[in-house]
Amino acid sequence: DAEVLFKAMKGLGEFDKCIKCVTDLVDNLKSELGGKFESLIVALMTPPIMYDVTCLRDAIKGAGTDEKGLIEILASRLPNEVNEIKSLYKREHNDDLEEDVTGDTGGHFGRMLVVLLQASRQQGIQEDLIQSDAQALLAAGEQKYGTDEGQFITILGNRSNAHLRRVFEEYRKLSGYEIEESIQRETSGTLQEVLLAVVKCARSVPGYFAESLYNSMKGAGTDDQNLIRIMVSRSEVDMMDIRTEFRKRFATSLHKTIQGDTSGDYRKALQLLCGGDDA
């Protein structure tokens, strides 16, 4: 098997044999391992975009809808990643991801997810829109009887992160509130969750994941599905930054939190993904 892989990588072998070899390896791992440790190792054997596709498919097609999974992936991925996810989803499942999401979610929440799936965020900062975007958000929420959710969806779903950070600053000057406070007051349920995730990612993607990791381990019980998804998908992206943010926000390290909340080989593997302790 190692020889087949080596030859394929050097361009000397048949690539289909190589794929079969990797598939066999995953199947063997599944037969040898179990539980959370198996889920973690199999996830690590999956290429990143394919892993996102698998998580989204499970979130939609599993029993009930895993809103947390949908929100986390779609709020945090870059537009080019979202486009890759959509085309791979189509190739793998012969389904349209946007249609599947629409069929499984509804209302303003569904609309926001579709906007994120369209991956049409504008580039850079549009100086001439900062003031008017901040005013539009204020008029759509705090200054209105009821809430114009559409305005929140349009602005938060289509502007770049750098632009949004400037808008949030302007919003605070105009209203005296952080945008998160207004979203909490003006919206509820899954729409509130996705809007807050987008705001947090605009401020800091590593900060957003540090908070999600903390929430998946705090209190009684562990949200292993969430923990695995984040540790696997960010392990070669921004794990060092996530660790820094975690330490800053929660006065303890990610490594120590994993230590206290998990056990066995599952714990060892998670700690290796984490990379080190920030005492």
Side-chain angles (χ1 to χ4, degrees):
D1 282 354
E3 205 170 302
V4 168
L5 287 169
F6 181 75
K7 282 183 174 170
M9 285 173 205
K10 292 282 178 244
L12 306 166
E14 298 162 40
F15 200 65
D16 53 351
K17 271 190 193 162
C18 168
I19 290 170
K20 183 176 177 348
C21 168
V22 173
T23 310
D24 290 347
L25 177 55
V26 171
D27 289 341
N28 288 338
L29 284 166
K30 283 181 176 172
S31 68
E32 292 298 319
L33 306 172
K36 298 175 286 199
F37 185 51
E38 178 193 306
S39 304
L40 177 62
I41 297 299
V42 171
L44 285 167
M45 290 295 296
T46 313
I49 296 290
M50 186 65 200
Y51 183 56
D52 280 350
V53 167
T54 307
C55 290
L56 287 169
R57 182 74 174 183
D58 291 347
I60 297 164
K61 297 293 180 188
T65 307
D66 172 17
E67 285 94 355
K68 198 183 279 184
L70 287 176
I71 290 168
E72 181 211 289
I73 293 171
L74 297 179
S76 66
R77 301 302 187 258
L78 298 166
N80 62 309
E81 291 170 330
V82 173
N83 287 324
E84 281 179 52
I85 289 167
K86 284 193 294 193
S87 54
L88 186 56
Y89 188 94
K90 182 88 179 151
R91 226 174 34 241
E92 285 297 311
H93 302 292
N94 203 22
D95 282 328
D96 183 283
L97 179 55
E98 204 174 297
E99 282 172 20
D100 282 356
V101 166
T102 309
D104 212 49
T105 59
H108 296 299
F109 174 58
R111 264 184 68 197
M112 183 63 182
L113 292 181
V114 167
V115 169
L116 294 174
L117 273 168
Q118 285 164 352
S120 53
R121 282 194 184 282
Q122 293 146 351
Q123 301 295 301
I125 297 171
Q126 289 146 297
E127 294 289 345
D128 53 328
L129 287 180
I130 293 169
Q131 180 84 25
S132 60
D133 279 352
Q135 277 165 341
L137 288 171
L138 190 55
E142 297 285 359
Q143 291 177 343
K144 188 179 169 62
Y145 180 71
T147 308
D148 176 1
E149 291 90 352
Q151 195 65 270
F152 279 88
I153 291 167
T154 301
I155 294 171
L156 294 178
N158 289 303
R159 307 287 192 259
S160 74
N161 284 349
H163 180 88
L164 286 174
R165 287 195 292 274
R166 295 279 301 276
V167 171
F168 302 157
E169 218 175 292
E170 189 59 36
Y171 184 87
R172 194 181 65 236
K173 286 181 200 160
L174 285 173
S175 68
Y177 302 122
E178 293 293 356
I179 187 73
E180 290 92 333
E181 297 174 72
S182 294
I183 290 171
Q184 277 164 334
R185 267 199 295 273
E186 296 293 327
T187 63
S188 61
T190 46
L191 175 66
Q192 182 183 100
E193 284 170 40
V194 71
L195 293 178
L196 287 174
V198 167
V199 168
K200 286 169 187 172
C201 286
R203 291 197 191 276
S204 161
V205 171
Y208 169 67
F209 282 116
E211 195 175 305
S212 298
L213 284 167
Y214 180 77
N215 289 336
S216 65
M217 291 183 278
K218 75 168 190 200
T222 307
D223 182 348
D224 291 292
Q225 193 183 6
N226 219 32
L227 180 56
I228 291 170
R229 187 175 55 236
I230 299 172
M231 293 302 290
V232 169
S233 63
R234 308 316 286 185
S235 63
E236 293 178 61
V237 183
D238 51 5
M239 187 54 73
M240 290 300 289
D241 298 330
I242 291 170
R243 277 167 49 183
T244 305
E245 283 294 326
F246 197 97
R247 186 84 192 77
K248 212 159 63 186
R249 292 172 185 222
F250 306 113
T252 182
S253 69
L254 176 57
H255 198 274
K256 278 198 187 63
T257 308
I258 292 168
Q259 175 78 28
D261 221 65
T262 58
S263 60
D265 289 330
Y266 176 56
R267 170 163 70 194
K268 279 183 205 154
L270 286 171
Q271 287 181 314
L272 285 167
L273 288 177
C274 175
D277 195 0
D278 312 285

